[in-house]
Amino acid sequence: MTENLNHWTFVTASYVLTIAGTAALTLHSWLAMRRAETRRERSREQ
Amino acid sequence: MLAGSMHGFANPARFLKLARLLTVPLLASGVLLVAASLGWGLFGAPPERLQGDSVRILFVHVPAAWLGMGGWTAIAIASLAELVWRHPLAGIAARAIALPGAFFALLCLLTGSLWGRPAWGTWWVWDGRLTSMLVLFFLYCAYMALADAATRDGQANSRIPSIFGLVGAVNIPIIHYSVLWWNSLHQPPSISMGKSEMAPEFLWGLLASTLGFSLIFGAVVLMRMRAILADQQAEARLRRRAMEGGDD
């Protein structure tokens, strides 16, 4: 039995997962860093 | 000499200065390289003779595998530096690598599954390569749980995550050699030291995307190290102030 799969569905899903996941990871890390550095600055000012 | 150059960055102030300088350039160059190489992967590279268009998944799957395995190798090296040389930033580096490492290991499994369906006719097989990669993802999860528990219990310098990081490194050669040791649907390595069986139109795009994702990985690790250091410094300052208040 041969399946006639559209390869582009799998390619698109892989690229969307990779790009969205990497962007989310980067944004999460950036925000965590900004939050922590702001907290450190506040603790210095207090 | 190695220990000497490592201890050059043992001073958090010196490290932070360098990290602030590198974070954005690493991220920007990584994003540019990834955008260019994924654009090539989607629209420039030709379909492969046997695999057709599904071969384009190569440009995201291989960097994810490389970073999933490279991340744990870096955790093992940092753990060794923490245990042997008591390097003050090594434990922080290992903790900062864990989440991006776990993400890329999971991404490797997901994109591999999406590639396996059109290429092999199945989403998953319990063979050596896929199973050992899944084990790597679970190792990352366990490492993060151990490191979080140690930090929560006020034992940020606990050696248990470092020992676990070293022991878990046993899985890295198992993943690498699994396709040679056992029968597998997964193909053997196409690129080894100094030689490649890959056509240039795939090879250069793959090298660019791997370098691009590695630069983003580096930037993310720096961000996470900066966050951990800032948290520790704020925590220490608040504790000191509380003790001074208690003495009055």
Side-chain angles (χ1 to χ4, degrees):
Chain A
M1 189 181 86
T2 39
E3 277 183 294
N4 204 0
L5 293 172
N6 181 0
H7 288 191
W8 278 101
T9 312
F10 298 93
V11 173
T12 309
S14 299
Y15 277 59
V16 167
L17 258 178
T18 303
I19 293 166
T22 308
L25 172 74
T26 308
L27 188 66
H28 175 266
S29 303
W30 178 265
L31 292 176
M33 179 191 78
R34 297 288 300 164
R35 236 183 347 256
E37 291 187 339
T38 307
R39 186 170 163 241
R40 180 182 56 198
E41 293 315 311
R42 281 215 192 103
S43 76
R44 193 174 284 166
E45 288 160 10
Q46 278 173 5
Chain B
M1 190 180 150
L2 175 68
S5 59
M6 275 192 339
H7 280 282
F9 293 103
N11 179 346
R14 189 182 297 175
F15 167 78
L16 280 174
K17 199 173 162 191
L18 188 70
R20 280 191 202 107
L21 202 74
L22 288 178
T23 307
V24 174
L26 278 181
L27 183 62
S29 49
V31 168
L32 281 176
L33 258 178
V34 164
S37 56
L38 295 195
W40 170 255
L42 276 177
F43 308 113
E48 206 259 345
R49 189 171 54 91
L50 294 173
Q51 300 197 43
D53 283 313
S54 71
V55 77
R56 298 175 198 282
I57 298 174
L58 172 93
F59 297 98
V60 291
H61 176 71
V62 173
W66 152 255
L67 289 169
M69 291 166 68
W72 196 279
T73 307
I75 286 179
I77 293 169
S79 300
L80 186 72
E82 191 184 19
L83 287 171
V84 176
W85 294 290
R86 305 301 294 164
H87 192 289
L89 289 176
I92 292 170
R95 284 163 175 76
I97 291 165
L99 180 69
F103 165 73
F104 280 106
L106 179 64
L107 191 64
C108 170
L109 290 166
L110 294 174
T111 54
S113 189
L114 283 163
W115 197 357
R117 184 68 184 88
W120 304 334
T122 180
W123 298 99
W124 182 266
V125 281
W126 289 101
D127 77 350
R129 171 57 68 89
L130 278 72
T131 309
S132 54
M133 199 66 201
L134 182 64
V135 168
L136 179 66
F137 174 66
F138 290 145
L139 285 172
Y140 272 118
C141 295
Y143 180 88
M144 286 189 285
L146 276 175
D148 280 354
T151 309
R152 210 175 33 245
D153 297 345
Q155 296 174 325
N157 295 327
S158 167
R159 292 180 171 211
I160 295 171
S162 307
I163 293 167
F164 186 77
L166 267 181
V167 173
V170 170
N171 192 39
I172 299 298
I174 295 177
I175 298 173
H176 183 73
Y177 290 108
S178 56
V179 285
L180 304 174
W181 290 342
W182 300 298
N183 284 330
S184 175
L185 283 176
H186 198 286
Q187 66 177 62
S190 303
I191 304 173
S192 54
M193 294 299 268
K195 60 177 182 174
S196 161
E197 293 165 9
M198 206 176 278
E201 58 266 35
F202 294 112
L203 179 67
W204 291 108
L206 177 61
L207 290 176
S209 76
T210 305
L211 178 61
F213 278 109
S214 302
L215 291 171
I216 295 175
F217 188 96
V220 167
V221 170
L222 285 182
M223 288 176 208
R224 303 190 77 80
M225 286 183 75
R226 286 172 61 179
I228 296 170
L229 273 170
D231 271 335
Q232 284 184 350
Q233 288 167 343
E235 206 70 46
R237 200 164 285 141
L238 290 173
R239 211 174 304 129
R240 206 165 44 237
R241 200 155 296 152
M243 283 171 72
E244 285 166 6
D247 290 343
D248 292 340

